[in-house]
């Protein structure tokens, strides 16, 4: 009996599995493990959002099949959010689509827009879903290296002519996971020009658009004149409102692309539970003070952890957005060797950079989405217990 397609067999093994095995063994041995590998906010979903969900659950009409594209209230709320935050006008009916989390939308977009053998330009290192979704759509992922020397931005001039002829899509992700890098509107202008020149669809993943500090405000690619002709942007409630488990996000921008995705989705899923959409609409349009409050918490953790890493000679720098620190491993280590050494000496789990693509080799990622007291405990262990002989 055939139990696996060639397509699925071609997906590389899940690299986080090794780390999970290491963690399980240590926990069984009674070691107090601090997992700085996960990117799931410890801070709770704000009460007013939870309350809105419970309220909407009482209405029987909300418990039926949701509408495919998302309810009016949610799509309008996303449009209002874009107008208020970026001064970008969106038509809620054609330029906004509700998603079961942005990961779901990214995964289903590729088979909706590319054909087998088409090239997809994507950052390296990157959120692993871009690469895997490309493979699952029988596409070819072409790495655009992100280097510290270029502030972790891709160099569009480096993409070869042959690749450009076959490329249909380009992924961008700012504020970036895993690098923490941010961009300004001038970069998006360059990206839109490049995409128009080569007839590419730009997929901008803005999962961390609201998780920013130090007065930095992340721009949207849709602020660029004409961007809607060439780009879509994914957004998520998961990170800014600590709603990872709720599974709700959206995609906005080019209406033909959104139409394709909605056709695909209407054949494989049936949308987001309506009470969740209504609570998400409320989150986007009501009091935003929890967002700045949470960002302040992440920023303090960031500063404390960066200082601790610097004190043992690691060249970590604070990011302006997101809740990750991305730093080079000390000389003489590979990413995996360093992460293993840190774990053996301190019981702290970092993520080896190579998990995010070959360009991540030589780096590690650390997440600040765990409670303060565990962050401080990790900082103590790094300061006192880590001997890496720099
Ligand atoms: C967390 C994350 C997502 C997925 O968010 P969901 O809306 O929860 O699916 C997408 N992109 C990046 C870069 C992320 O880190």
């Amino acid at each position: 009996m055939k139990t696996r397609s060639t397509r699925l067999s071609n997906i590389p093994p899940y690299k986080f599995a090794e780390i999970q095995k290491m963690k399980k063994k240590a926990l069984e041995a009674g070691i107090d493990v601090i997992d700085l590998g996960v990117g799931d906010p410890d801070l709770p979903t704000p009460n007013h959002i939870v309350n809105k969900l419970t309220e909407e659950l009482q209405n029987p009409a909300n418990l039926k099949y949701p509408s495919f594209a998302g309810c009016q209230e949610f799509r309008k709320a996303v449009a209002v959010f874009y107008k208020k935050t970026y001064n970008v006008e969106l038509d809620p009916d054609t330029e906004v689509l509700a998603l079961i989390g942005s990961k779901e939308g990214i995964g289903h977009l590729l088979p909706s827009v590319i054909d087998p053998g088409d090239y997809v330009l994507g950052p390296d290192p990157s959120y692993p879903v871009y690469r895997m979704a490309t493979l699952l759509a029988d596409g070819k992922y072409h790495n655009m290296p992100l280097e510290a020397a270029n502030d972790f931005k891709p160099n569009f001039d480096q993409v070869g002519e042959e690749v450009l002829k076959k490329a249909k899509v380009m992924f961008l992700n700012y504020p970036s996971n895993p690098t923490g890098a941010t961009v300004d509107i001038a970069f998006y202008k360059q990206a839109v020009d490049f995409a128009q020149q080569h007839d590419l669809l730009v997929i901008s993943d803005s999962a961390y658009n609201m998780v920013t500090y130090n007065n930095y405000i992340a721009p949207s690619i849709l602020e660029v004149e004409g961007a809607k002709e060439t780009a879509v942007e994914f957004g998520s409630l998961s990170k800014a409102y600590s709603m990872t488990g709720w599974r709700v996000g959206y995609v906005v921008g080019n209406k033909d692309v959104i139409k394709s995705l909605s056709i695909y989705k209407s054949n494989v899923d049936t949308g987001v539970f309506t009470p969740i959409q209504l609570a998400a609409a409320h989150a986007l349009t009501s009091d935003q003070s929890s967002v700045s409050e949470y960002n302040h918490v992440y920023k303090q953790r960031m500063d404390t952890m960066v200082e601790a890493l610097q004190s043992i000679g690691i060249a970590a720098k604070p990011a302006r957005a997101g809740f990750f620190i991305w730093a080079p491993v000390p000389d003489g280590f590979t990413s995996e060797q360093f992460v293993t050494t840190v774990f053996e000496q301190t019981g702290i789990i970092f993520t080896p950079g190579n998990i995010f693509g070959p360009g991540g080799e030589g780096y590690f990622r650390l997440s600040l989405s765990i409670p303060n007291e565990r962050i401080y405990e990790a900082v103590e262990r790094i300061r006192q217990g880590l001997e890496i002989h720099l």
Side-chain angles (χ1 to χ4, degrees):
M1 182 180 67
K2 185 166 174 172
T3 60
R4 189 165 301 178
S5 65
T6 313
R7 191 181 303 111
L8 195 61
S9 303
N10 286 342
I11 292 283
Y14 186 62
K15 290 204 185 121
F16 280 97
E18 275 305 304
I19 300 170
Q20 288 312 317
K21 242 195 270 170
M22 196 167 81
K23 179 178 175 181
K24 189 161 170 266
K25 241 170 77 185
L27 286 172
E28 280 163 8
I31 293 168
D32 178 22
V33 175
I34 303 181
D35 191 347
L36 299 180
V38 291
D40 191 351
D42 61 302
L43 302 168
T45 307
N47 266 333
H48 66 103
I49 303 172
V50 177
N51 291 342
K52 177 71 175 168
L53 173 71
T54 20
E55 185 190 314
E56 296 298 342
L57 278 170
Q58 312 308 316
N59 180 355
N62 288 344
L63 310 187
K64 296 179 164 297
Y65 279 127
S67 79
F68 285 121
C71 66
Q72 270 295 326
E73 290 88 338
F74 178 70
R75 283 181 286 141
K76 270 196 188 134
V78 174
V80 166
F81 170 77
Y82 262 74
K83 178 69 188 163
K84 191 181 62 184
T85 315
Y86 308 114
N87 199 24
V88 168
E89 306 271 357
L90 292 172
D91 174 359
D93 292 324
T94 59
E95 294 177 330
V96 182
L97 183 67
L99 302 172
I100 313 168
S102 58
K103 180 178 178 180
E104 176 268 306
I106 293 166
H108 286 145
L109 180 58
L110 287 175
S112 314
V113 295
I114 69 167
D115 287 311
D118 284 346
Y119 276 57
V120 170
L121 312 180
D124 173 34
S126 81
Y127 181 55
V129 177
Y130 312 149
R131 192 181 297 272
M132 301 311 161
T134 301
L135 294 176
L136 288 173
D138 298 321
K140 292 216 158 51
Y141 194 85
H142 178 82
N143 290 319
M144 295 192 299
L146 305 182
E147 284 165 9
N150 196 33
D151 299 321
F152 298 108
K153 289 184 289 196
N155 187 341
F156 301 129
D157 299 336
Q158 270 174 7
V159 185
E161 278 305 317
E162 281 311 302
V163 171
L164 277 173
K165 272 189 219 151
K166 293 182 271 186
K168 299 289 185 288
V169 172
M170 174 169 73
F171 275 105
L172 296 175
N173 166 223
Y174 294 100
S176 159
N177 175 10
T179 72
T182 53
V183 292
D184 52 24
I185 195 71
F187 170 79
Y188 282 143
K189 173 89 180 66
Q190 229 189 326
V192 167
D193 286 348
F194 176 71
Q196 282 173 342
Q197 211 176 327
H198 299 286
D199 211 14
L200 298 171
L201 160 66
V202 182
I203 304 177
S204 164
D205 177 358
S206 73
Y208 297 90
N209 59 351
M210 285 181 271
V211 187
T212 62
Y213 4 93
N214 295 356
N215 299 321
Y216 172 71
I217 297 171
S220 158
I221 194 167
L222 297 185
E223 288 174 54
V224 176
E225 179 105 26
K228 268 191 213 170
E229 280 147 45
T230 192
V232 290
E233 188 156 76
F234 283 86
S236 175
L237 283 279
S238 292
K239 311 294 161 60
Y241 303 101
S242 289
M243 289 170 66
T244 45
W246 293 53
R247 312 314 304 136
V248 57
Y250 55 83
V251 59
V252 297
N254 185 278
K255 64 178 184 336
D256 299 323
V257 172
I258 284 178
K259 181 78 195 165
S260 297
L261 177 57
S262 72
I263 294 170
Y264 191 101
K265 275 173 59 62
S266 68
N267 286 289
V268 295
D269 72 59
T270 312
V272 181
F273 188 41
T274 304
I276 290 179
Q277 290 190 55
L278 294 169
H282 167 77
L284 286 169
T285 50
S286 62
D287 176 19
Q288 300 294 302
S289 56
S290 73
V291 177
S292 33
E293 202 182 298
Y294 285 11
N295 288 347
H296 185 68
V297 172
Y298 293 132
K299 177 180 159 32
Q300 288 198 316
R301 292 176 184 176
M302 174 87 67
D303 291 345
T304 312
M305 186 59 82
V306 164
E307 244 182 71
L309 291 169
Q310 287 174 348
S311 79
I312 59 159
I314 289 171
K317 286 189 207 136
R320 288 195 293 182
F323 39 64
F324 299 113
I325 294 173
W326 178 251
V329 301
D331 285 345
F333 289 91
T334 65
S335 292
E336 286 184 12
Q337 284 166 347
F338 178 64
V339 166
T340 309
T341 302
V342 169
F343 184 63
E344 283 167 355
Q345 293 187 2
T346 64
I348 300 172
I349 297 181
F350 291 163
T351 308
N354 58 314
I355 276 186
F356 304 100
E361 180 51 52
Y363 285 86
F364 67 97
R365 192 192 76 176
L366 171 168
S367 164
L368 300 163
S369 62
I370 65 162
N372 278 348
E373 62 273 17
R374 298 301 277 166
I375 294 279
Y376 291 116
E377 168 67 20
V379 162
E380 260 328 283
R381 289 190 203 175
I382 289 167
R383 285 183 188 278
Q384 312 292 330
L386 191 57
E387 290 194 26
I388 44 178
H389 308 293
L390 294 170

